[in-house]
């Protein structure tokens, strides 16, 4: 049973436009959510996180939105740049054990 | 954040030999480190949680006698793949858990590519 789902295996966006990556979760105990970016043959890089007490967190071009009632979060990247092409993983955890539960990832392709 | 290194970055070994992978936390003392493996085009799979000074906690289906984890200091954890076989070929990644503001964020190393011939 997947507790964290990224339903889009891939997403193609024009350079300069907004990229929106989506993530859904099922466990209501999750209270911390993270986004990671991963290039092939490299470890994931932490991008941004959000606590369940917030509904939005922004860091430069990256904004994460959390909708607790819908158990849904999204990562917005604007404007999208060629270097943003990578696989993006959504992860969630509960303060009861801190273990990260991962989504399957979404491959983002930024077109010139 | 945190800076994490892994060594070696890639290793090729013969079937039946053992391989040791090191994970170092370079800029803070990590009481908890994690070991993952990733198969091609798949998500990360947590293998075990390594706690400094105590035994590692292995995930279901991960053989603790095959994947030996040692976390002898606050900056170093090692994963030893014993009697490696071709099916152990994979990308192994470690991370350190850093707690801030009541939440824990994991920061990852660059990964180690293991190829068993």
């Amino acid at each position: 049973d997947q507790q964290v789902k990224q339903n889009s295996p891939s997403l193609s966006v024009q350079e300069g436009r907004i990229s929106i990556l989506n993530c859904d979760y099922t466990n209501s105990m999750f209270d911390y959510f993270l986004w990671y970016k991963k290039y092939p043959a490299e470890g994931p890089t932490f991008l941004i996180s959000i606590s369940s007490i917030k509904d939005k967190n922004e860091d430069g071009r990256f904004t994460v939105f959390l909708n607790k009632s819908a158990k849904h979060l999204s990562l917005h990247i604007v404007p999208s740049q060629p270097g943003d092409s990578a696989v993006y993983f959504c992860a969630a955890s509960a303060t009861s054990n801190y273990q990260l539960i991962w989504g399957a990832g979404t491959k983002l392709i930024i077109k010139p | 954040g945190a800076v994490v290194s892994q060594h070696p970055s890639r290793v090729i070994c013969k079937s039946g030999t053992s391989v040791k992978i090191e994970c170092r936390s370079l800029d803070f003392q990590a009481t908890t480190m994690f070991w993952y493996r990733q198969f091609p085009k798949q998500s990360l799979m947590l293998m075990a949680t390594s706690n400094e000074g105590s035994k590692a906690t292995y995930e279901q289906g991960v053989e603790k006698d095959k994947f030996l984890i040692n976390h002898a200091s606050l900056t170093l954890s090692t994963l030893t793949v014993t009697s490696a076989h071709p099916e152990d070929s994979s990308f192994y990644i470690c991370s350190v858990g850093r707690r801030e503001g009541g939440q824990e964020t994991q920061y990852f190393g660059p990964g180690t590519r293991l190829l068993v011939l």
Side-chain angles (χ1 to χ4, degrees), chain A residues 1-111:
Chain A
D1 177 35
Q2 276 187 295
Q3 297 186 65
V4 178
K5 298 179 183 179
Q6 293 177 257
N7 292 317
S8 298
S10 66
L11 174 67
S12 187
V13 174
Q14 201 76 33
E15 181 180 355
R17 306 292 289 269
I18 183 172
S19 296
I20 300 176
L21 298 131
N22 293 303
C23 179
D24 297 292
Y25 62 97
T26 57
N27 189 339
S28 57
M29 296 300 293
F30 290 149
D31 55 11
Y32 188 53
F33 305 88
L34 309 92
W35 284 95
Y36 288 85
K37 172 183 178 181
K38 188 181 183 301
Y39 294 117
E42 293 185 14
T45 300
F46 170 70
L47 278 177
I48 192 169
S49 63
I50 187 167
S51 167
S52 60
I53 61 174
K54 295 184 176 180
D55 55 16
K56 176 183 175 182
N57 190 25
E58 189 173 354
D59 184 2
R61 295 187 298 116
F62 303 94
T63 303
V64 56
F65 296 91
L66 175 63
N67 183 334
K68 284 181 292 184
S69 60
K71 292 190 176 67
H72 175 85
L73 64 153
S74 60
L75 174 69
H76 293 212
I77 306 173
V78 58
S80 299
Q81 298 174 354
D84 296 330
S85 295
V87 177
Y88 289 79
F89 289 97
C90 167
S93 69
T95 49
S96 56
N97 67 9
Y98 296 106
Q99 184 177 44
L100 282 184
I101 307 299
W102 295 82
T106 297
K107 184 176 183 178
L108 176 64
I109 301 165
I110 305 301
K111 299 179 293 185

Side-chain angles (χ1 to χ4, degrees), chain A residues 31-32 34 36 38 41-44 46 49 51 89 93 95 98-100 102-104, chain B residues 36 38 42-44 46 59 91 93 99 102-111 113:
Chain A
D31 55 11
Y32 188 53
L34 309 92
Y36 288 85
K38 188 181 183 301
E42 293 185 14
F46 170 70
S49 63
S51 167
F89 289 97
S93 69
T95 49
Y98 296 106
Q99 184 177 44
L100 282 184
W102 295 82
Chain B
Y36 292 82
Q38 184 184 30
Q42 292 189 27
S43 186
L44 298 169
L46 178 65
E59 295 301 301
F91 191 57
I93 318 171
R99 293 186 187 174
Q103 302 288 0
E104 181 173 272
T105 300
Q106 289 185 29
Y107 297 92
F108 287 81
R113 172 74 61 191

